[in-house]
């Protein structure tokens, strides 16, 4: 033993001393105990080599399970080299045979001192074990050293008594081999790979788990792929691999219950869980006494480290899933942590985990896919019995095979509901896909496919869900479910540019619902709404809907009538008052739950055009409350679009700005802009972020975009950007193209896109006053048909600028008067700007400057940088000595803004502030938005600090 094994110095010293004792004529039994893989056999071989070098003759035997049925099998192997042994065969009498075999050994020892080396004595046959025990009682006066190794490891199934349980401690020296410390393991790695970096070494140490067997096997496998190649996480990367074979051998040396438990634990551990040791506490405050698994081994081999019990709930789960005794499970977990195979959980839950992902994977490698799936199912059932969270149970079912029992489907559907409620559509998709692997009736499969297809399409912003929805539509289902599926499929197809296909789907279903007129009407209404994506289809669809309403109003229903009101409003055929009166009457009529979102959404859109913004918001809230976010619905996105339109009407640019500058993430291959993109582009322009606006505009290739009303809005927004950049020709092109497309859709009213006013401004700037005047006058004519302050005031303002002179000033006065008491703050600011310029041009500089300063203040309050800049330029051109000071900081707050901000800083809600000050909640929100901008903050929680910092007395 000239080269001691790492951290085996105590064993080495013990065996050297006992060898000297044998040479002196006094023998003893030395029992080397240790877990599988701790190097018992290596220590025994080193002892045999040392003994031989000291002059002892060596008799060896290695026990195996195959020999346990043969009496004296181990003794026969031991005494085989003895010359006289051939004449001494064991007889049927055990006691007599043992005596004869003992005489052979004693006679052989009389010639020269002996070392009897028995490896894995726990596998020896019963007769040989008894013989060795008796020999231990007699060899104290013989030059015979018996060294045996015995597996000593905690298993689920209680193990038989050890070799020495019946011997007096004076007759045996027992030494337990501890697992290697991290320091010793690192030294072995450094010896094998001298250039290994610290991180790679630490990874090897964790995968070795304190076992010389595993560490050496791993280093052997990695010999051909040293660093910088990483230590792999899967056994497949090492195939065929000494390391997986060593892990499998470790498991083969345990009882079946332990193997099952070890692999079940592996199924519960995430494949790439953090493995760097634990610094967290078990829930409830009971921390593991060993913060990192390495610390217990660093203190020195053989040291006993006190460990707190693993989490009781986790122990119970494992015991329930495997059918094992909870006390034995807890004991096994604690023992494996002490050995280093497991390390306390590093994710705050206290659960022990395999020391490295590679070790976990190797443990699982011995199980077939079917067996792993069965383990996940068993764990899921155990979790369900114990009342664990539904998603925890569902996550186990994701890895199981079909269960075929009602509880599994119920768990998965509940998990879908939770994921949807918490706005995690990706998780809901995963649970639904798994649910569809269960045996299902057609009607249930149809509903799940509809939901899955809707979520897949919406979350991926791509046609991934269309095949699912198409399959769902082929299955037998209730008529209402068929309508929901058809609407989802139609919405997906229309969103993908296949509007005519969507119409075919809806009309085919409509013909199948002759016995269900209300559902047929809902399908017809959905068709009309989806047709908005294509100008030609839209004309055809509304012509058909108009004919039905004229011939049989009851077939059109309230939703169809509401869509016709909206159509008339955009066509410039009715006033806002007439439209709202008709819609309010339709809202009082009973509506089918499937049709109600169409009625509410249509009414909300028209109410927003009619400047009834508060009513529009209430209608949107009602419409969204009646829908399932997980199902594609033609009106769902429309309702959200109305919300954006309302924010734009109020000049609430902060709600419209994109979360990230530049092109939107996740665009479809068609590069088609949405309504949100148009609003974001306008908000960027109005708030002075022209560079970001340009990046957003350039992110879309409009030549590839399919026809839609959203494209028209984006063209208008891009025209505003070009106009701001000074590209008059480009801006005019966008405005006129928007107008051409809108007119082709019979959208003539400026209530949607005031393209004529914008084109008139471009025409005037390009010197074509006559064409500009014609456009502005036509805009005013149509605006007066609709007759709302926002559209009329805007048209008056543009006509004033085009007309100029005294008449222009009068028109500007009219525009300001119309807009003065409306929520359209941006339009009022623009009208004030036009009026101030005209007054200044007419020579009334004093009044003009006053009006321009008011315009600048309004622009500042809105955060409308573009309008404020134009007001300041007009002030300077009008001879103002200095422009209005930037209204930022606490000093810029109005009295109302300061009072509301202080109440909000004290923790009052918007509703409470509104009640306290007797004002509308919307007024509170507007003032707070202005306050946030002036104080350069973004959240309500920042108000106290911002107000205090700006207050010198604070």
């Amino acid at each position: 033993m000239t080269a001691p094994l790492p951290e085996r110095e105590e064993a080495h010293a013990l065996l050297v001393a006992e060898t000297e004792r044998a040479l002196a004529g006094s023998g003893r039994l030395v029992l080397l105990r240790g877990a599988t893989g701790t190097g018992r056999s290596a220590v025994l071989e080193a002892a045999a080599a040392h003994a031989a070098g000291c002059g002892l003759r060596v008799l060896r035997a290695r026990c195996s399970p195959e020999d346990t049925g043969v009496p004296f099998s181990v003794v026969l192997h031991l005494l085989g080299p003895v010359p006289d042994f051939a004449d001494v065969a064991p007889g049927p009498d055990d006691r007599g045979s043992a005596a004869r075999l003992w005489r052979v050994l004693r006679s052989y020892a009389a010639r020269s001192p002996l070392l009897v080396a028995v490896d894995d004595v726990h596998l020896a046959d019963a007769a040989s074990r008894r013989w060795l025990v008796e020999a231990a009682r007699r060899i104290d006066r013989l030059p015979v050293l018996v060294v045996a190794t015995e597996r000593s490891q905690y298993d689920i199934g209680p193990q038989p008594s050890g070799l020495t349980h019946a011997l007096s401690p004076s007759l045996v020296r027992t030494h337990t081999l501890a697992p290697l410390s991290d320091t010793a393991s690192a030294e072995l790695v450094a010896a094998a790979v001298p250039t290994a970096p610290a991180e790679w070494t630490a990874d090897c140490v964790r995968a070795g788990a304190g076992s010389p067997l595993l560490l050496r096997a791993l280093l052997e496998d990695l010999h051909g792929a040293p660093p910088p190649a990483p230590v792999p996480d899967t056994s497949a990367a090492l195939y065929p691999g000494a390391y997986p074979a060593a892990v499998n051998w470790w498991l083969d040396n345990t009882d079946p219950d332990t193997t099952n438990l070890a692999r079940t634990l592996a199924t519960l551990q995430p494949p790439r869980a953090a493995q760097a040791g634990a610094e967290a506490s078990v829930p409830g405050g009971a921390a593991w006494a060993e913060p990192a698994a390495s610390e217990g081994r660093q203190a020195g081999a053989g040291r006993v480290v006190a460990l707190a019990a693993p989490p009781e709930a986790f122990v119970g789960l494992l015991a329930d899933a495997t059918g094992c005794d909870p006390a034995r499970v807890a004991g096994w977990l604690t023992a494996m942590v002490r050995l280093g195979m497991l390390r306390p959980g590093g994710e705050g839950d206290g659960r022990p985990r395999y020391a490295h992902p590679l070790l976990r994977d190797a443990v699982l490698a011995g199980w077939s896919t079917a067996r792993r799936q069965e383990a996940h199912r068993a764990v899921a059932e155990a979790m369900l019995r114990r009342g664990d969270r539904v998603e925890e149970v569902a996550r186990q079912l994701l890895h199981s095979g079909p269960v075929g029992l009602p509880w599994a489907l119920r768990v998965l559907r509940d998990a879908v509901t939770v994921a949807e409620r918490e706005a995690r559509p990706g998780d809901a998709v995963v649970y639904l896909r798994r649910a569809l692997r269960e045996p299902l009736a057609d009607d249930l499969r149809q509903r799940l496919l509809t939901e899955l297809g809707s979520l897949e399409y919406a979350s991926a912003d791509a046609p991934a869900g269309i095949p699912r929805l198409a399959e769902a539509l082929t299955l037998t289902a209730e008529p209402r479910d068929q309508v929901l599926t058809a609407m989802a499929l139609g919405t997906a197809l229309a969103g993908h540019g296949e509007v005519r296909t969507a119409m075919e789907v809806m009309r085919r279903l409509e013909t199948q619902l002759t016995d269900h007129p209300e559902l047929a009407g809902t399908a017809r209404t959905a068709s009309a709404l989806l047709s908005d994506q294509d100008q030609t289809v839209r004309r055809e669809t509304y012509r058909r809907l108009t004919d039905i309403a004229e011939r049989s109003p009851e077939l059109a229903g309230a939703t169809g009538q509401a869509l016709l009101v909206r159509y008339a409003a955009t066509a410039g055929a009715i006033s806002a008052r007439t439209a709202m009166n008709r819609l309010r009457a339709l809202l009082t009529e009973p509506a089918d739950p499937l049709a109600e979102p169409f009625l509410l959404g249509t009414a909300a859109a028209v109410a927003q055009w009619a400047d009834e913004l508060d009513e529009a918001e209430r209608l949107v809230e009602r419409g969204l409350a009646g829908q399932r976010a997980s199902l594609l619905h033609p009106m769902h996105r429309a309702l959200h679009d109305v919300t954006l339109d309302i924010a734009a009407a109020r000049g609430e640019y902060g709600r419209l700005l994109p979360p990230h500058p530049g092109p939107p993430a996740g665009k479809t291959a068609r590069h088609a802009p949405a309504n949100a993109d148009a609003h974001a582009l306008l908000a960027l322009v109005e708030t002075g972020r022209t560079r970001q606006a340009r990046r957003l505009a350039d992110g879309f290739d409009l030549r590839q975009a399919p026809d839609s009303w959203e494209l028209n809005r984006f063209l208008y927004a891009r025209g505003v950007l070009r106009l701001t950049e000074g590209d008059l020709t480009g801006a005019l092109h966008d405005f006129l193209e928007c107008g051409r497309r809108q007119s082709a859709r019979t959208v003539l009213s400026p209530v949607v896109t005031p393209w004529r006013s914008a084109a008139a401004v471009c025409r005037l700037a390009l010197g074509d006053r006559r064409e500009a005047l014609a456009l502005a006058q036509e805009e005013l004519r149509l605006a007066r048909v609709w007759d709302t302050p926002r559209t009329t005031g805007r048209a008056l303002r543009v006509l004033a600028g085009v007309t100029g002179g005294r008449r222009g000033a009068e028109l500007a006065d009219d525009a300001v008067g119309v807009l003065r008491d409306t929520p359209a703050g941006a339009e009022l600011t623009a009208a004030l700007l036009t009026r101030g310029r005209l007054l200044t041009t007419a020579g009334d500089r004093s009044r003009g400057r006053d009006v321009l300063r008011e315009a600048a203040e309004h622009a500042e309050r809105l955060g409308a940088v573009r309008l404020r800049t134009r007001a300041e330029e007009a002030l300077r051109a009008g001879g103002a000595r200095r422009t209005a000071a930037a209204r930022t900081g606490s000093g810029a707050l109005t009295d109302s803004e300061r009072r509301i901000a202080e109440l909000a800083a004290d923790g009052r809600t918007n509703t409470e502030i509104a009640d306290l000050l007797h004002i509308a909640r919307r007024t509170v929100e507007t003032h707070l938005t202005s306050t946030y901008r002036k104080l350069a903050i973004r959240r309500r929680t920042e108000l106290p600090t911002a107000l205090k910092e700006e207050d010198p007395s604070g």
Side-chain angles (χ1 to χ4, degrees), residues 829-834 836-837 840 848-860 864-880 882-884:
T829 303
L832 286 167
L833 179 58
T834 300
R837 282 176 167 172
T840 302
R849 286 195 293 267
D850 290 342
V851 174
L852 289 172
R853 287 193 179 96
E854 184 184 359
E857 291 175 0
H858 275 280
E860 176 71 19
V865 175
R866 182 179 73 91
L867 290 175
R868 177 177 175 77
T869 301
R870 290 173 60 190
E872 290 178 340
E873 291 172 350
L875 278 166
R876 287 193 295 269
R882 61 186 180 87
T883 58

Side-chain angles (χ1 to χ4, degrees), residues 796 800 803-817 835 838-839:
L796 283 168
T803 302
R806 184 185 300 274
R807 177 58 183 158
E810 292 173 354
L811 290 169
D813 284 343
D814 291 344
V816 171
R835 184 187 180 199
L838 288 172
L839 286 171

Side-chain angles (χ1 to χ4, degrees), residues 735-760:
F735 294 140
L736 294 178
E737 179 62 15
C738 171
R740 184 190 69 78
R741 289 171 173 271
Q742 291 289 69
S743 300
R745 302 166 68 85
T746 323
V747 178
L748 307 178
S749 174
V751 71
V752 180
T753 47
W755 64 270
R756 293 179 188 84
S757 292

Side-chain angles (χ1 to χ4, degrees), residues 59 64 74 81 126 266 268 313 367 405 427 496 513 665 687 877 918:
L59 300 177
S64 67
V74 174
L268 284 169
W367 258 1
L405 296 174
D427 291 342
H496 194 51
L513 295 171
T687 55
H918 305 290

Side-chain angles (χ1 to χ4, degrees), residues 356-376:
H356 191 277
L358 178 61
L359 177 56
R360 169 199 175 271
D361 186 75
V363 169
L364 277 177
W367 258 1
S368 66
T369 299
R371 188 63 190 87
R372 296 186 196 191
Q373 290 178 341
E374 181 58 33
H376 281 291

Side-chain angles (χ1 to χ4, degrees), residues 1-13 16 42-43 46 187-188 216:
M1 294 182 70
T2 56
L5 298 174
E7 295 187 335
R8 299 297 181 251
E9 293 81 4
E10 290 186 21
H12 166 68
V16 167
V43 173
E187 290 174 356
L188 285 176
R216 287 193 170 110

Side-chain angles (χ1 to χ4, degrees), residues 12 70 123 125 128 143 159 169 201 215 285 302 325 364 418 427 435 546 560 600 654 736 761 792 849 876 903 925:
H12 166 68
V70 180
L123 300 177
D125 61 277
S128 294
Q159 299 301 301
T201 298
L215 185 57
D325 179 1
L364 277 177
V418 172
D427 291 342
T546 301
L600 293 170
L736 294 178
V761 172
T792 304
R849 286 195 293 267
R876 287 193 295 269
L903 290 170
E925 294 171 355

